[in-house]
Amino acid sequence: MSSPLALENKDLSKNALVSPHRTPSHGHRVDVLAERIALHIESLVPQGRARCLDIGCGDMALAEAVNARSSRTDWRCIDVHGLPVGFSEDARWSKYRQFDGRRIPHADGEFDVALLCDVLHHAPEDAAELLAEAARVAGHVLVKDHFEYGNDGGRVAERYFTCEGFVRLAKQQRLVITALDSGLDLHDRAPGMGTLLRPDWQFIAVLRVH
């Protein structure tokens, strides 16, 4: 998920870490995504514990919201940012690990599901490597991202995928798209956004190794 750990001020504080996305719109977005992602994981791992990795986890709110809806999920979370002083003493952050943004520090097949939520369009130069790494460590990969006809604005919008481009990226990593879930209405509580941003601009793709 877009990471609130990425802050301009090098002196990170606990308030700065957890507050940037704590808005009503963000809460609704997390709720909608958590419901959909939990359903996908329940389908992909119908029995037993589901070992899950959130790549680019930000404040871990999404992983925790999924776990609240699917208690069979066990989460590990990684992002490129180090923890502020004192966070490592908080048991909540024991599932968090910093990584270099490319090589995932986990073993082959360690997880059932890897999640990349709004990560790939922020790192287009590393998207192929990240996707391949996700497929290396997990049997299934969930990608939540945007198609390019979204209008979130600016340079980021230019990095969004075309449907054809995303399919091509998956094939290049020898991944098969087994489901494409669109129609995610993530902005209905943001004033004015519901009329500007169509739900079909957001998607969750379910992928597995060919």
Side-chain angles (χ1 to χ4, degrees):
M1 191 159 212
S2 298
S3 176
L5 289 168
L7 303 173
E8 293 182 1
N9 186 344
K10 65 181 179 181
D11 296 322
L12 302 179
S13 68
K14 289 186 179 182
N15 185 60
L17 177 65
V18 300
S19 64
H21 284 170
R22 296 302 195 212
T23 64
S25 176
H26 178 64
H28 172 72
R29 180 175 180 273
V30 169
D31 287 343
V32 172
L33 289 175
E35 290 285 353
R36 295 287 188 100
I37 290 167
L39 288 172
H40 284 299
I41 293 174
E42 289 286 343
S43 176
L44 295 171
V45 188
Q47 297 181 339
R49 307 300 299 176
R51 303 165 300 162
C52 304
L53 176 67
D54 188 354
I55 304 163
C57 63
D59 61 3
M60 304 190 302
L62 181 57
E64 291 171 346
V66 175
N67 180 255
R69 291 160 173 78
S70 179
S71 60
R72 292 192 300 108
T73 58
D74 295 321
W75 287 90
R76 294 292 179 268
C77 301
I78 61 176
D79 209 320
V80 297
H81 306 287
L83 291 180
V85 174
F87 270 49
S88 59
E89 300 170 4
D90 185 340
R92 175 176 177 254
W93 290 92
S94 62
K95 59 181 174 289
Y96 179 86
R97 185 173 180 181
Q98 184 179 10
F99 83 124
D100 64 7
R102 294 183 177 181
R103 182 74 177 175
I104 294 175
H106 289 281
D108 295 359
E110 187 171 339
F111 299 96
D112 299 301
V113 178
L115 172 65
L116 289 154
C117 182
D118 288 333
V119 169
L120 296 183
H121 73 257
H122 283 294
E125 65 282 359
D126 298 323
E129 184 174 1
L130 268 175
L131 194 55
E133 276 288 281
R136 178 183 65 80
V137 301
H140 304 277
V141 180
L142 297 179
V143 174
K144 188 281 168 189
D145 223 291
H146 303 242
F147 288 127
E148 69 170 4
Y149 38 82
N151 189 28
D152 281 353
R155 295 178 181 177
V156 174
E158 295 174 2
R159 304 173 191 169
Y160 291 160
F161 296 101
T162 63
C163 186
E164 295 80 6
F166 183 75
V167 170
R168 183 168 57 252
L169 176 66
K171 285 184 176 180
Q172 288 170 349
Q173 312 314 313
R174 299 183 179 179
L175 295 171
V176 176
I177 300 173
T178 59
L180 188 62
D181 184 5
S182 61
L184 304 176
D185 191 359
L186 305 182
H187 298 284
D188 75 341
R189 296 188 184 182
M193 297 297 283
T195 59
L196 294 173
L197 303 176
R198 288 169 24 202
D200 57 344
W201 292 341
Q202 315 263 357
F203 70 90
I204 297 173
V206 182
L207 304 98
R208 62 171 175 80
V209 177
H210 190 275

